[in-house]
Amino acid sequence: MDTDSLALRFLIVDDDETFSRVLSRAIKRRGYETAVAGSAEQALEMLQTFTPDLATLDLKMDGASGITLIPRLKALNPDIRILILTGYASISTAVEAIKLGATDYLAKPADTDQILAKLNATEPDPDIEIADKPMSVGRLEWEHIQKVLTEHDGNISATARALGMHRRTLQRKLQKRPVREEH
Amino acid sequence: MDTDSLALRFLIVDDDETFSRVLSRAIKRRGYETAVAGSAEQALEMLQTFTPDLATLDLKMDGASGITLIPRLKALNPDIRILILTGYASISTAVEAIKLGATDYLAKPADTDQILAKLNATEPDPDIEIADKPMSVGRLEWEHIQKVLTEHDGNISATARALGMHRRTLQRKLQKRPVREEH
DNA sequence: ATCAACGTGCGACAATCTGCCACATTCATG
DNA sequence: CATGAATGTGGCAGATTGTCGCACGTTGAT
């Protein structure tokens, strides 16, 4: 369908390729036009030919932080809605982001529904409002652990340290739930 | 020195009496005129005779949250600088506070210098440093709970249901202090 | 080969935490 | 005022976690 002129343009800036791909597909399926950038620099290039109406930005990437994009995006489109989405969330960066004009701020992991819910907060679309249940604490923890574990190349000791959790406990958690996905 | 007409008026709203007293003295010593309220309600009364230029608000108090004071304070003095100061800091309340117009947000414990520094900071800087470690599981859980709690307007029972967690357990978790963010 | 440093898997036990049930209040509403 | 919904506590048995300790593998340097 070429509703090009009508479809809202959605920019995803994240260096986690898997994450970007999954999110991009989920968002396209809902009728948005999407663009994905793997770094702030790459995003800046894209902005010369792509003016987004919505955007999700990661903070921790190679090169510049997504936060630096906020002023550029606002300058290009004052009505843009920006969601900061990061696995390295902190109160201080959240405060900065909002002050700079971000619409909202979420810590990863977050599912697509939550992401869109935050971005649509002001949109006249009272249709798909209250269907979402938050992730259970259990699943949230699981995804977080997997992510950090991957970042440490499967090193359990290092992961436990990074997570401020005891190695023994991590071990037990990993035993109980062999890697499986569901929904 | 009676620079009454020149001295900036500083309002402290916190139910921790000791904390308020110490902070009040430290701030007076630096030439501000101070007023202390132990609750949001009490603060509202004071506003009839005291128009602050600066304020620190606590979030978790008996009665209304300090966050509810933000609009009132802004209405009374659009140039007021408001710092949220709480022992139960979370990203979701920080985001909400900043959106409502708070100047900044700090987690207790914080010393007088930090407090005044935040209140006097002028411009946000996009070059704020990003944490090098991801959040601990404990911290992530706290943030998630706070987010859901905020989405349910502070309703504990509803939050517990949404989280698939026993209400009693949620209550106990909420009473504890959040895990400190480290670096 | 040997030593040192590190990561891993697992047993055991105490300290905590959770899921549940009960009960007294408080609060908004019909 | 009756009623349903929330909330703050207390108590308990059972599940989970924090710690220690120990036995192996690996890897690198001596």
Side-chain angles (χ1 to χ4, degrees), chain A residues 8-176:
Chain A
L8 287 173
R9 287 174 292 271
F10 200 120
L11 174 65
I12 300 170
V13 185
D14 200 305
D15 60 351
D16 181 336
E17 216 173 296
T18 307
F19 174 84
S20 297
R21 184 156 26 81
V22 172
L23 179 60
S24 174
R25 284 188 50 193
I27 287 175
K28 261 187 192 152
R29 208 178 307 129
R30 298 174 201 231
Y32 296 89
E33 184 181 338
T34 68
V36 174
S39 72
E41 290 73 13
Q42 197 185 334
L44 283 179
E45 279 184 46
M46 286 187 174
L47 291 184
Q48 305 198 323
T49 56
F50 185 87
T51 302
D53 302 294
L54 301 164
T56 64
L57 309 179
D58 190 9
L59 285 191
K60 189 174 172 107
M61 300 181 289
D62 288 336
S65 155
I67 257 188
T68 60
L69 289 174
I70 298 178
R72 311 289 201 115
L73 291 168
K74 295 292 271 193
L76 206 55
N77 174 8
D79 293 327
I80 191 174
R81 289 200 295 279
I82 301 171
L83 176 66
I84 304 296
L85 195 52
T86 177
Y88 293 76
S90 70
I91 288 175
S92 55
T93 53
V95 169
E96 283 304 311
I98 301 296
K99 278 196 202 170
L100 284 168
T103 306
D104 220 315
Y105 185 106
L106 275 184
K108 282 185 196 173
D111 61 43
T112 311
D113 287 322
Q114 305 231 282
I115 293 171
L116 287 175
K118 284 294 187 188
L119 283 170
N120 285 330
T122 55
E123 195 175 60
D125 213 3
D127 219 5
I128 323 166
E129 281 285 348
I130 321 170
D132 56 337
K133 279 180 186 169
M135 261 188 270
S136 74
V137 256
R139 165 147 184 183
L140 183 79
E141 178 187 65
W142 176 250
E143 302 225 350
H144 189 234
I145 287 177
Q146 289 306 315
K147 175 101 179 169
V148 179
L149 189 58
T150 303
E151 283 171 6
H152 290 258
D153 305 307
N155 182 321
I156 297 182
S157 297
T159 303
R161 277 194 295 271
L163 254 33
M165 166 190 295
H166 266 264
R167 182 176 70 89
R168 191 74 186 82
T169 303
L170 214 204
Q171 222 171 28
R172 286 192 280 235
K173 278 186 192 297
L174 290 175
Q175 272 186 336
K176 289 210 164 174

Side-chain angles (χ1 to χ4, degrees), chain B residues 97-117:
Chain B
I98 301 296
K99 279 189 188 172
L100 282 170
T103 307
D104 219 314
Y105 186 106
L106 261 187
K108 284 184 194 174
D111 61 45
T112 311
D113 290 321
Q114 287 180 293
I115 292 171
L116 289 175

